[in-house]
Amino acid sequence: MIKRSCNALLISLALLTLTPTIAWSEVSEKETSKEREEEVITEDKEETLEEKISELLPDLSEEESEYLALLIKADEYYQAGEKEKAEALYREAKVSFDTETVSTLRDSYYEEDKLPPAGKVYWRHGKADFDPKLRTKSLAPLQHLVTEHSDFIPGHVRYAEALVYFEETEKAIKHLEKTISHYPHEFELVEAILPLYEKTEQWLDASFTARQFALLNPEHSKAEELQTIANQRLEQYQSRLRANLRGNVFANLITGALGYAFTGSLLGPISAIDSTALLLRGESGVGEAFSNRLRQQLPLLEDEEVNEYVNEIGKTLTTYTGRDDFEYEFHVIKDDNLNAFALPGGKIFIHAGAILNTKSEAELAGLIAHELAHTDLSHGFQLVTEGNLLANVSQFVPFGRTATNLIVLNYSRDMEREADEIGTRLLASSHYAADGLYNLMLTLEDKKQDRPSPPVWLSTHPETEERINNIKTQIINNNYNRYRYEGVARHQAMQEKVAQILAEHQLKVQE
C-alpha cells in the first residue's frame, strides 16, 4: 500500500511547528537529565501524533494513486479552460458505463392501443359508468388492470376514481401514493391525488406531493404552479395547527413550568409543548432553532479554511435547488466517521470523516447534494410531522426527544431514491462531474466489503447496489456529463489538514 508522497512532508512540517526548542546552555547534570526526559516524552508524543494522522488518512493502492494522479492532471486542464484535453484524460481515467447492465422500470404510457388483449378488456369494463349496486363488477377489472399492467397510467387514475365513488377515498389515496413513488414524473397522478388530499384536509401531504413533483420535474409546465400550491397547503396546515394549539397551550405551559420547578431544567417546557408548537415555526424556524443548539453541543471543526471549503461546495449546489425560502448552513463535526445528516430548513452537518474518506471534491459534493435533496424535498420535516421516525441519534441530542426526531438518518426507500435523483441532478447542473454521488456509492461499497460493519452513512441507507444502478441509469438516460471537474488535488490538501486537526483533537480527548 502506498501513501501519497506529500503526506510525510506535511506531517514533518506540522511536527516541526509543535516541537519545542531546547537551549543547551550550562546547566546542572540534573537539569540536563530532566530536559532529556522531557525530550523523550515530546518525541513519543510526536510519534503518537504522526501515527494518528497516518491512521486517519486513507491508504491508497498504486492503482488508486495512478487514477487520482490522472484526475489531477485533467482538473488542471479543466481549470485552465482546456476542456477537450481535460475530457480526454477524464475518459482515460474512468471506466465506461456498461449500458447492458442498466435496468429500468417499464416506461409508462397512456395509449389504449398499447394494451395487450386482456388489458383492453379490463379497460373497456373499467371505463363503463359505475353502478352503485355492482361494486365488484366496477372494481374487479380495474384491480386486474393496475396489477397486471401497472405501466398504463390512466388505469391507476380510473381505479382511484372508482374507489372514491364507492366511498373508499383513503384506499384511493394510498394507491395513488404508491403509484407516484414508482412513477414520480407523471403529472396526471399528482393531479388526481391533490383534490383527494384537499377533500380529506391532508394539507401537509398535499404540500409535500406538490413540491416533490415540482423539484423532480423542474421543466414541466406545471412545476411553478405546484410550488405555489405547495406553499399554500403548508400554510393551511400551519393554520390548522395554530387552531388546535390554542385549546391546550395553557395547560402545556403550566405542565412545562412545573417541570422546570421540580427539575430546574428549561427542557421541561420544550418537551411539554412538544413538536406541535415547534412546527408552527415552519421548516426554516425549526431547523434554525435546533441548529443553534447543536452548534453549542457538538464538537465542531472551527478551521476557517476547511469550513470555507465545505461551504463553497454547499453554496454552489444550493444555486440549483429551487428552494429560495431556506437559509442554508454547512457545519463540520470533529468525527472521523463517514457520515452526514440534515435538519429541516437546509441545515447540513457533515462529519470530518466524510472529507477523509472521499476521493475527490466531486464525491464530497455528491454527499452534500444528497443531504440537500432530503431538505429540499422536506423529507425530515415530513417524518417529524408523521411521527414515525426510525432514527436513534440521542448521542447527539442532550435536549429532548423533539430534537432527536428532527435529525433524520433513516429515510424510506422511496425518499432515498428521490434524494439520489435530485442530488445527481444538482451535480449535473453544477460544474462538478455528474457521477460524484455514483462514485461515492462505489467508495462506500468498497469500504463495506473491507470492514465487518459498513460506514455509518451507508448503514442507514438501503440496498447500495440497487441505488448505484439507479444513479447510473439516470446519468445515461439524461446524458449527464461525467467528464468534468473532480477537484482531487484541492481535496487532498483538505484531507491533510483535517487529519491533523482530528489527530490533535483525539489526542487531547485521550489525555
Side-chain angles (χ1 to χ4, degrees):
M1 304 298 283
I2 300 175
K3 287 281 189 184
R4 288 191 293 274
S5 59
C6 60
N7 285 7
L9 175 59
L10 288 177
I11 292 170
S12 299
L13 289 173
L15 294 176
L16 283 173
T17 63
L18 296 174
T19 305
T21 302
I22 300 177
W24 292 102
S25 57
E26 294 183 359
V27 291
S28 68
E29 183 177 345
K30 184 177 179 180
E31 290 173 332
T32 302
S33 175
K34 183 179 179 181
E35 289 182 351
R36 284 175 178 168
E37 289 176 3
E38 290 175 350
E39 183 180 18
V40 171
I41 293 171
T42 303
E43 287 175 353
D44 288 342
K45 186 173 181 180
E46 289 172 358
E47 289 173 0
T48 305
L49 178 60
E50 184 174 353
E51 289 169 0
K52 279 285 185 184
I53 294 174
S54 181
E55 289 171 5
L56 290 168
L57 287 170
D59 286 325
L60 297 175
S61 66
E62 186 173 356
E63 182 180 359
E64 288 173 323
S65 296
E66 290 174 355
Y67 165 73
L68 294 177
L70 203 55
L71 291 183
I72 289 173
K73 186 63 178 176
D75 285 338
E76 290 173 356
Y77 282 131
Y78 187 89
Q79 290 180 302
E82 300 184 61
K83 302 296 176 64
E84 291 184 6
K85 287 184 178 180
E87 182 173 334
L89 285 181
Y90 287 133
R91 287 183 180 276
E92 182 181 342
K94 296 186 177 186
V95 177
S96 298
F97 281 167
D98 180 5
T99 56
E100 293 182 3
T101 65
V102 174
S103 62
T104 60
L105 288 171
R106 290 181 296 178
D107 291 336
S108 57
Y109 63 94
Y110 290 79
E111 297 82 4
E112 182 180 343
D113 58 4
K114 289 186 178 180
L115 284 167
K120 289 178 180 177
V121 173
Y122 296 145
W123 183 232
R124 185 171 65 252
H125 288 292
K127 287 192 301 181
D129 291 340
F130 301 134
D131 188 334
K133 298 179 181 180
L134 300 173
R135 180 181 182 280
T136 301
K137 184 178 180 180
S138 297
L139 286 176
L142 288 170
Q143 286 177 321
H144 285 298
L145 182 64
V146 298
T147 301
E148 298 173 20
H149 309 285
S150 60
D151 42 357
F152 181 59
I153 301 302
H156 294 287
V157 176
R158 183 62 175 170
Y159 180 50
E161 291 173 350
L163 289 170
V164 172
Y165 180 84
F166 290 104
E167 299 183 347
E168 294 190 55
T169 300
E170 281 302 322
K171 188 174 180 179
I173 289 174
K174 295 300 181 186
H175 177 76
L176 287 173
E177 287 176 339
K178 180 179 178 181
T179 308
I180 288 171
S181 73
H182 290 296
Y183 298 100
H185 305 290
E186 298 299 336
F187 172 73
E188 285 73 8
L189 297 173
V190 175
E191 189 177 36
I193 201 172
L194 287 180
L196 302 185
Y197 280 142
E198 294 169 13
K199 179 181 179 180
T200 55
E201 296 187 350
Q202 298 182 52
W203 306 120
L204 195 60
D205 291 300
S207 176
F208 290 144
T209 300
R211 195 179 310 282
Q212 172 186 304
F213 183 87
L215 290 173
L216 288 171
N217 306 276
E219 304 302 324
H220 196 280
S221 60
K222 297 290 185 177
E224 186 174 348
E225 179 182 334
L226 286 174
Q227 284 279 27
T228 301
I229 289 174
N231 294 334
Q232 291 172 344
R233 299 298 172 263
L234 182 59
E235 176 55 37
Q236 285 175 287
Y237 169 76
Q238 291 177 313
S239 294
R240 187 173 66 182
L241 273 183
R242 293 186 191 98
N244 292 339
L245 191 61
R246 291 190 192 104
N248 59 13
V249 66
F250 294 109
N252 283 337
L253 285 172
I254 291 171
T255 303
L258 288 174
Y260 175 67
F262 283 110
T263 66
S265 171
L266 287 175
L267 303 182
I270 294 176
S271 297
I273 297 176
D274 208 8
S275 59
T276 303
L278 288 168
L279 292 177
L280 289 175
R281 303 177 64 172
E283 290 179 80
S284 294
V286 169
E288 180 68 27
F290 285 99
S291 175
N292 289 340
R293 295 187 178 205
L294 280 178
R295 285 188 279 115
Q296 294 173 11
Q297 299 289 339
L298 294 175
L300 295 183
L301 194 152
E302 302 292 351
D303 184 81
E304 184 177 353
E305 187 178 6
V306 174
N307 281 303
E308 283 182 1
Y309 175 61
V310 171
N311 272 272
E312 182 183 323
I313 296 172
K315 297 300 184 183
T316 296
L317 295 170
T318 58
T319 305
Y320 308 97
T321 60
R323 294 294 298 266
D324 56 5
D325 53 325
F326 291 165
E327 291 186 12
Y328 294 94
E329 293 177 5
F330 303 90
H331 305 285
V332 182
I333 304 170
K334 289 179 183 175
D335 189 301
D336 59 7
N337 285 304
L338 200 170
N339 203 6
F341 62 85
L343 291 174
K347 314 305 183 188
I348 311 296
F349 289 78
I350 302 154
H351 287 215
I355 298 174
L356 294 174
N357 290 286
T358 45
K359 292 188 175 73
S360 70
E361 186 175 332
E363 276 194 27
L364 181 61
L367 176 68
I368 295 173
H370 178 92
E371 295 302 327
L372 279 172
H374 279 308
T375 65
D376 293 334
L377 289 165
S378 301
H379 284 163
F381 193 61
Q382 181 177 356
L383 292 180
V384 170
T385 58
E386 291 175 353
N388 62 355
L389 296 184
L390 301 177
N392 179 12
V393 288
S394 57
Q395 68 269 27
F396 288 142
V397 191
F399 42 78
R401 61 189 175 89
T402 301
T404 303
N405 286 351
L406 290 170
I407 302 176
V408 180
L409 296 178
N410 289 335
Y411 297 96
S412 71
R413 291 176 183 271
D414 289 334
M415 286 179 173
E416 290 299 344
R417 292 189 188 100
E418 292 166 7
D420 286 344
E421 182 173 345
I422 291 291
T424 298
R425 198 184 76 214
L426 289 176
L427 287 175
S429 301
S430 70
H431 66 279
Y432 291 113
D435 57 359
L437 182 55
Y438 170 85
N439 290 327
L440 171 66
M441 302 300 284
L442 293 179
T443 296
L444 289 166
E445 187 68 8
D446 289 342
K447 291 183 180 297
K448 178 182 177 182
Q449 294 170 0
D450 293 340
R451 300 178 181 179
S453 59
V456 180
W457 193 79
L458 181 60
S459 68
T460 58
H461 295 60
E463 297 187 15
T464 311
E465 186 176 347
E466 175 200 335
R467 294 171 64 201
I468 289 172
N469 189 55
N470 288 342
I471 296 171
K472 181 194 288 186
T473 300
Q474 180 187 0
I475 292 172
I476 292 173
N477 290 346
N478 291 281
N479 197 29
Y480 288 157
N481 191 351
R482 300 173 61 209
Y483 310 110
R484 290 192 303 204
Y485 185 64
E486 288 282 347
V488 175
R490 186 185 185 200
H491 191 68
Q492 289 181 346
M494 290 299 108
Q495 286 179 317
E496 304 285 356
K497 189 156 195 175
V498 168
Q500 181 170 331
I501 293 171
L502 275 187
E504 293 171 352
H505 172 70
Q506 291 175 0
L507 286 175
K508 184 177 182 180
V509 170
Q510 291 172 6
E511 291 178 353

